[in-house]
Amino acid sequence: MNRGSPNTDRRTAAVEAALAALDLPGKAALLSGTDMWSVGPAAARAAGFGRLVLSDGPAGVRGEDWTPEDPSIALPCPTAIGATWDIRAAREAGLLLAQEARRKGAHVVLAPTVNLHRTPYGGRHFEAYAEDPELTGVLGAALVEGLQDGGVGATPKHYVANDAETDRYTVDVRADERTLRELYLAPFERIVRTARPWALMAAYNSVNGVTMSEHDALTNGVLRAEWGFDGVLVSDWTGARSTLGCARGGLDLAMPGPDTVYGEHLVAAVREGRVPAETVDTLARRVLLLAARVGVLDGAPPAVPAHARPAPLDGTATVRDLATRSFVLLRNENAALPLDVPGRTGDGTATGAGKATAASAATATDGPDGAVRRLAVCGVHAAAPRFGGGGSSQVFPARISTPLDALRDALPAGVDLSYEPGPDPRARLAPAGAADGFRLTAVLHGLDDTELARTDQRDGSVRWMGSLPGGASFADLGRVELVGEFTPAVSGTHRLAVRGVGHFRLEAGERVLYEAELPPESEDPAAAFLNPPQRVFLLDAEAGTTVPVRLVHSVPSRGVGGLFGLVSFELGYGAPAVSDEELIERAVRAAAAADTALVFVGTTDESESEGVDREHLALPGRQDDLVARVAEANPRTVVVVNAGAPVLMPWRHDVAAVLLCWFPGEEGGSALADVLLGAAEPGGRLPTTWPDAEDGLPVRQVVPDSDGQLPYNEGPRIGYRAWRRVGGAEPAYWFGHGLGYTTWEYEFLNITGRASADSPSAGDDPYVPVAEVTVRVRNSGPRHGREVVQLYLGPEGPERRLAAFAVVEAPAGASADARLTVPLRAVQSWDDTLRTWHADPGPHTFAAGRSAADIRLTAQLELHVQG
């Protein structure tokens, strides 16, 4: 909507009318959550303010209920979206999130996460797009546009420099202004200036001594005065710490509620003269504007009326397509992929240039001799993949397509598939489920021991946030019992586990296996439900003999991790143990007897999750041993890596192919079958550089110093730019790297300077074009393909940085033109002395290629720019 349009004027009038109808306590009440996920105090109802619901959502919209009983569509993780390098894909993801939000009754989604992959040790990188601010900002803006075109508010986060998880509540990031401006603020600036988000989230951490929920200079100064942000700044949950600091620092909304630093504390501060009444008006006005934009303020037309929303998306098909476009083929010796199974066409054209399913690709004429007729699949991640990352981005899909099931469904009848799980890399037991022989029901009891509600469980994971089954009240809840039966399929010593924080009693048959208090293992308030401790107990049981089980959890009155309105615990299970060595031997025997071996490896929720950073980059458990031994037994070994951030691959030169699938969402198995069997091409490129070893990493510190400070001493050079200055050290795979099922030739590069860059107003818009670049590429391979053309600006070395990118497609033998627009900001640097942007001196070197290190064409042009 244009500023000054009739609808904008009506919204403004409605906001001012509502503000005038509220007294001071009513205005202050607007600035706090009413509960875990909503804003809508009773004091504001007379002014026409409805109930405004927020939801987590970087990889799926959970809504107000955090439970498997209320499923959500699980999208590929944001790093996977980053790996598409595709603006259309990011916008499509935003549209699907908006569609899910409306279905879940949410008005604002807490996404996208646009922090940077500063170092591969960051534990939450799967929730952010890339190591590069240009790629991050462009894709983040596209997702914001998709969400808000769907009528749902976006909330880019976490503003700013929340690039690690260690001590994230208290860490003080120390960075000079150039580093902040050119790297960590840059994605937020692009999103705010170009996509106009309706909300933004303040980070937990401090920057240069000031916590971000109170940072007047970066919020009221940079974010609002410089960039023109007119939306709501919301705290991260429990991140608002000071009434005066937050009010003066421009924090509009403190979450969750109702007890926050605002409310009666803010009213008292105004009446005592410590906070001006006008400040409260300013904060409340922005909350009212958000309510107006999403349609929960009487008399205010929403920013996007229902009739103007885009057509609905097929969620399953969209998630599957996004996943295939994100997969990165890192290595493919002797065309090991796609798998040459009987019936697969060689060029992919018979399947509609990668648009058909794997099943249809495997029904054409028989392939040549040497086709794969015996396929050995190994690794736990084939049957139990990580479809999404752990923490606040977690959702519970209605179903998960596993690679093992999808391959079994897609392979033609002439191919024999065997499966061996190999050693389990997970240190913790997974929730007990029906496949393990469990039938479970959760029973809620009140403080007076009466039964409040009961609900059948999909598995042993009990997680409710915001609301309880059967409409029960958290205030009345005394304990939750997980009761049911366990009928083992095999005899032996089984393992049961309790995971959570608080008091538990575990019973199996006539035995009490555990009764004690489980304390949290971290001072991080969110760790109590994101990464709680687990205790394991042994149970001897006979196959076919049913054992009653009962896990009782007394709900703490103070809430979990200090968060009221949350219940979170698990009953875990592990089958009788088989030695790791025996499991590896089984996989080796299967691989030796097969034409091709597929090994699935990946991270676990212990090694990669919100709330914790990574201690090392090696694959957990004995997965490296599994790959190495299988590769020795079968030279046609293909490894699929199921991880959200870089892992070390010491065996990468010893296997035929390496395919990276990230955390691919609920349709990851089907998407993998499509790619492995050639019905679709792996379309992704690395959004972050993958190291070859932990020694020599250019940026690695995530743990604060003894004084609580985390210095960004590397300045504005991280990722591929940092690797360029190491001197001799090479990563395993560079930023932007990725192969496909065809090959590309780069034919020419043409640059046209834009006169608009010389106009007096050019400096007011850092994204005004200063050059248009055309790169012609030709598909020189055997089948239709997709190429990501990357344009870097600057001389060879650490000053060269990504300026623009584009995705093109072409059939075999055809050419395509990638048209790239270079913005003014790409030829500017920040001057810490003058505290302003200045134009980089020419001549400017343009370098087009397939990765940061694979440059195919270069040219120079003197750009005469201001600013």
Side-chain angles (χ1 to χ4, degrees):
M1 298 292 176
N2 295 326
R3 297 177 186 273
S5 70
N7 280 345
T8 301
D9 293 342
R10 288 172 58 197
R11 278 196 298 276
T12 300
V15 165
E16 294 303 321
L19 188 68
L22 293 169
D23 58 10
L24 176 61
K27 295 171 186 174
L30 279 179
L31 310 182
S32 295
T34 306
D35 49 36
M36 181 65 74
W37 297 113
S38 75
V39 182
R45 291 173 192 159
F49 189 99
R51 187 169 183 264
L52 177 68
V53 176
L54 302 92
S55 171
D56 274 322
V61 181
R62 195 169 51 245
E64 295 184 81
D65 297 319
W66 194 334
T67 172
E69 279 61 52
D70 182 25
S72 306
I73 290 177
L75 281 72
C77 72
T79 299
I81 303 300
T84 69
W85 289 63
D86 191 332
I87 296 171
R88 181 175 68 87
R91 184 176 183 275
E92 205 167 63
L95 289 171
L96 183 56
L97 289 174
Q99 182 173 302
E100 279 285 277
R102 295 194 304 270
R103 182 177 70 84
K104 290 273 190 170
H107 307 100
V108 177
V109 171
L110 306 178
T113 301
V114 292
N115 301 114
L116 298 184
H117 298 176
R118 173 177 170 264
T119 161
Y121 289 99
R124 200 178 180 181
H125 279 352
F126 58 83
E127 199 178 304
Y129 292 115
E131 70 186 19
D132 181 81
E134 174 71 10
L135 180 58
T136 297
V138 170
L139 295 182
L143 186 128
V144 168
E145 289 170 354
L147 261 169
Q148 296 188 169
D149 284 350
V152 174
T155 315
K157 61 183 187 179
H158 309 85
Y159 186 74
V160 61
N162 181 188
D163 310 295
E165 293 295 282
T166 303
D167 297 342
R168 59 180 178 161
Y169 282 83
T170 57
V171 66
D172 180 14
V173 171
R174 294 287 171 151
D176 59 56
E177 192 165 5
R178 182 189 175 197
T179 298
L180 288 172
R181 292 279 188 167
E182 292 187 10
L183 282 187
Y184 303 102
L185 288 169
F188 291 98
E189 180 179 15
R190 178 180 279 274
I191 291 169
V192 168
R193 287 185 183 271
T194 65
R196 299 292 175 184
W198 301 340
L200 203 83
M201 181 185 287
Y204 288 127
N205 56 278
S206 296
V207 173
N208 296 327
V210 183
T211 184
M212 283 309 305
S213 59
E214 304 174 17
H215 213 302
D216 175 67
L218 290 179
T219 298
N220 293 324
V222 174
L223 178 62
R224 296 196 186 280
E226 287 189 32
W227 302 347
F229 178 63
D230 66 353
V232 164
L233 184 67
V234 58
S235 73
D236 206 337
W237 267 229
T238 73
R241 302 176 175 101
S242 160
T243 301
L244 298 185
C246 289
R248 293 169 179 170
L251 185 77
D252 302 299
L253 183 58
M255 292 296 292
D259 298 322
T260 75
V261 298
Y262 284 156
E264 62 184 9
H265 305 291
L266 184 58
V267 171
V270 172
R271 288 174 175 166
E272 293 165 7
R274 293 178 294 151
V275 173
E278 294 78 9
T279 297
V280 179
D281 284 355
T282 297
L283 305 180
R285 183 177 285 111
R286 291 195 285 253
V287 175
L288 290 166
L289 176 59
L290 176 60
R293 283 169 162 163
V294 301
V296 293
L297 183 66
D298 288 352
V304 182
H307 67 81
R309 296 172 190 158
L313 295 171
D314 181 327
T316 299
T318 299
V319 168
R320 184 170 178 167
D321 181 56
L322 289 172
T324 61
R325 282 189 269 171
S326 76
F327 296 164
V328 181
L329 186 60
L330 297 175
R331 175 180 173 85
N332 195 24
E333 295 299 296
N334 300 316
L337 289 178
L339 297 175
D340 189 7
V341 298
R344 182 182 65 82
T345 57
D347 62 3
T349 55
T351 64
K355 300 300 183 183
T357 65
S360 67
T363 56
T365 58
D366 285 346
D369 290 341
V372 177
R373 290 179 172 83
R374 291 172 300 174
L375 181 65
V377 178
C378 313
V380 168
H381 288 78
R386 292 198 71 188
F387 64 88
S392 62
S393 66
Q394 181 185 22
V395 295
F396 302 95
R399 63 174 290 277
I400 300 168
S401 171
T402 72
L404 185 59
D405 288 341
L407 282 168
R408 282 171 171 160
D409 290 342
L411 286 169
V415 178
D416 177 61
L417 182 152
S418 65
Y419 172 64
E420 291 293 342
D424 194 333
R426 296 169 293 190
R428 291 194 292 256
L429 300 182
D436 304 312
F438 286 84
R439 295 178 59 189
L440 299 169
T441 299
V443 183
L444 292 74
H445 292 271
L447 298 171
D448 58 359
D449 211 36
T450 58
E451 182 176 316
L452 301 177
R454 64 172 54 217
T455 180
D456 292 336
Q457 290 287 119
R458 291 173 56 184
D459 59 25
S461 176
V462 177
R463 181 165 283 183
W464 303 309
M465 179 181 282
S467 63
L468 292 171
S473 167
F474 280 100
D476 296 332
L477 185 64
R479 73 178 191 277
V480 178
E481 295 185 3
L482 195 59
V483 297
E485 299 176 337
F486 167 46
T487 306
V490 297
S491 300
T493 301
H494 300 258
R495 291 163 290 163
L496 298 181
V498 176
R499 188 177 182 211
V501 170
H503 189 274
F504 294 93
R505 177 183 173 94
L506 175 62
E507 303 170 5
E510 302 297 323
R511 295 177 56 198
V512 176
L513 300 181
Y514 179 72
E515 184 167 16
E517 189 84 13
L518 260 178
E521 296 178 339
S522 167
E523 296 180 0
D524 184 334
F529 67 97
L530 295 178
N531 296 289
Q534 185 181 78
R535 299 290 184 271
V536 179
F537 311 95
L538 302 181
L539 174 69
D540 292 327
E542 299 293 326
T545 301
T546 298
V547 180
V549 292
R550 178 171 178 258
L551 176 59
V552 183
H553 173 47
S554 300
V555 178
S557 59
R558 64 186 181 281
V560 179
L563 292 173
F564 187 71
L566 170 66
V567 173
S568 178
F569 67 95
E570 285 181 1
L571 173 66
Y573 171 75
V578 178
S579 74
D580 286 354
E581 192 61 33
E582 172 60 24
L583 292 169
I584 290 176
E585 283 297 331
R586 293 177 184 177
V588 168
R589 289 194 294 269
D595 300 312
T596 294
L598 269 178
V599 186
F600 288 79
V601 298
T603 58
T604 66
D605 61 0
E606 300 104 329
S607 63
E608 196 179 359
S609 177
E610 178 181 348
V612 292
D613 285 315
R614 304 169 70 189
E615 295 181 3
H616 54 75
L617 305 183
L619 287 167
R622 294 193 60 188
Q623 294 181 95
D624 285 335
D625 292 340
L626 175 66
V627 175
R629 297 274 295 279
V630 167
E632 287 178 359
N634 191 324
R636 295 173 66 180
T637 293
V638 174
V639 182
V640 178
V641 182
N642 182 197
V647 296
L648 301 182
M649 297 177 286
W651 33 260
R652 64 188 180 92
H653 294 302
D654 303 322
V655 300
V658 180
L659 178 68
L660 174 58
C661 73
W662 310 106
F663 298 151
E666 64 181 56
E667 285 297 311
S670 298
L672 270 169
D674 289 344
V675 167
L676 291 170
L677 299 180
E681 183 184 40
R685 304 293 185 266
L686 286 181
T688 194
T689 304
W690 279 45
D692 196 35
E694 297 195 65
D695 294 338
L697 281 175
V699 183
R700 61 185 304 152
Q701 184 178 359
V702 292
V703 178
D705 295 336
S706 58
D707 57 4
Q709 295 181 1
L710 180 59
Y712 282 18
N713 290 331
E714 67 279 358
R717 297 173 182 172
I718 64 171
Y720 62 94
R721 294 182 64 191
W723 279 101
R724 281 301 193 193
R725 70 176 184 178
V726 167
E730 286 278 322
Y733 300 105
W734 284 93
F735 174 80
H737 171 72
L739 309 174
Y741 290 159
T742 188
T743 55
W744 294 88
E745 298 292 336
Y746 279 57
E747 297 186 329
F748 72 76
L749 180 156
N750 182 65
I751 312 167
T752 304
R754 291 287 296 266
S756 60
D758 293 317
S759 68
S761 63
D764 298 335
D765 181 2
Y767 306 108
V768 64
V770 296
E772 298 288 349
V773 179
T774 300
V775 178
R776 176 161 295 173
V777 295
R778 181 172 56 85
N779 183 346
S780 56
R783 58 177 283 168
H784 184 282
R786 175 184 190 270
E787 176 70 338
V788 177
V789 178
Q790 303 161 41
L791 182 69
Y792 297 85
L793 203 57
E796 171 68 25
E799 294 308 314
R800 177 173 286 175
R801 56 196 180 192
L802 184 70
F805 56 92
V807 175
V808 296
E809 294 190 21
S815 296
D817 287 347
R819 303 188 187 280
L820 306 108
T821 300
V822 178
L824 173 62
R825 185 64 89 227
V827 293
Q828 290 179 315
S829 298
W830 180 262
D831 188 316
D832 269 353
T833 302
L834 299 177
R835 300 196 70 248
T836 188
W837 293 97
H838 66 84
D840 298 332
H844 299 87
T845 301
F846 293 76
R850 307 197 73 242
S851 79
D854 186 1
I855 300 301
R856 302 296 179 90
L857 300 169
T858 59
Q860 286 190 336
L861 181 70
E862 187 83 36
L863 296 176
H864 301 284
V865 297
Q866 295 180 345

